[in-house]
Amino acid sequence: MKTVALVEDNSDNRLLVRVILESLYEVTEYENGFAALEGLPKERPDLVLLDVSLPEMDGTEVLRRIRADANLRELPVIALTAHAMAGDREKYLAAGFDEYVTKPIVDETLLLGAIKKLLNGGQTP
């Protein structure tokens, strides 16, 4: 079973994502960027769902550090964010995220489709 790491500070959002994913993937959870950067090298997942608005270290900084690590830089990372204004998708993709999914997650097929696509090497299954 593939492993998805979820980096999300909101416990309700973590619970929702876990419920959506747990029958399909192993889910590892981190409450902040520091915990994720410590845990990801030890329990390397197949994909990371990364909240953009984290306390202390935001998601774009966490992503920058992931991309700077030779052992993690190839990990597919999905921006999970409430930032859904015009241009936000392009901004986060340009920052190095592989995909972009907005919160709250109303249509779980969008999240599941993005994960499947990236786990299949960018190809739609």
Side-chain angles (χ1 to χ4, degrees):
M1 185 178 281
K2 300 268 187 181
T3 303
V4 173
L6 171 62
V7 187
E8 168 65 67
D9 61 311
N10 182 291
S11 61
D12 291 336
N13 289 338
R14 283 196 313 273
L15 176 62
L16 174 63
V17 172
R18 187 176 347 112
V19 168
I20 292 170
L21 298 182
E22 67 187 354
S23 67
L24 302 167
Y25 306 101
E26 275 190 47
V27 179
T28 305
E29 298 178 21
Y30 300 99
E31 290 184 25
N32 60 57
F34 293 108
L37 291 170
E38 183 178 312
L40 291 174
K42 296 174 188 170
E43 299 179 32
R44 192 178 192 282
D46 297 293
L47 181 138
V48 178
L49 292 173
L50 179 55
D51 181 14
V52 172
S53 298
L54 293 168
E56 298 176 37
M57 181 190 317
D58 71 11
T60 53
E61 176 61 19
V62 174
L63 177 70
R64 188 187 69 71
R65 293 182 187 200
I66 289 171
R67 296 295 187 232
D69 184 322
N71 295 317
L72 299 176
R73 75 170 43 118
E74 299 301 320
L75 272 176
V77 181
I78 297 176
L80 197 58
T81 180
H83 296 277
M85 302 297 289
D88 281 342
R89 176 181 178 79
E90 293 75 18
K91 175 174 110 178
Y92 291 113
L93 294 176
F97 286 95
D98 297 290
E99 192 53 80
Y100 166 93
V101 175
T102 58
K103 297 186 296 187
I105 298 169
V106 178
D107 182 356
E108 65 187 56
T109 61
L110 296 175
L111 175 63
L112 292 171
I115 292 170
K116 283 181 188 173
K117 175 182 155 191
L118 291 174
L119 290 178
N120 286 317
Q123 305 300 315
T124 304

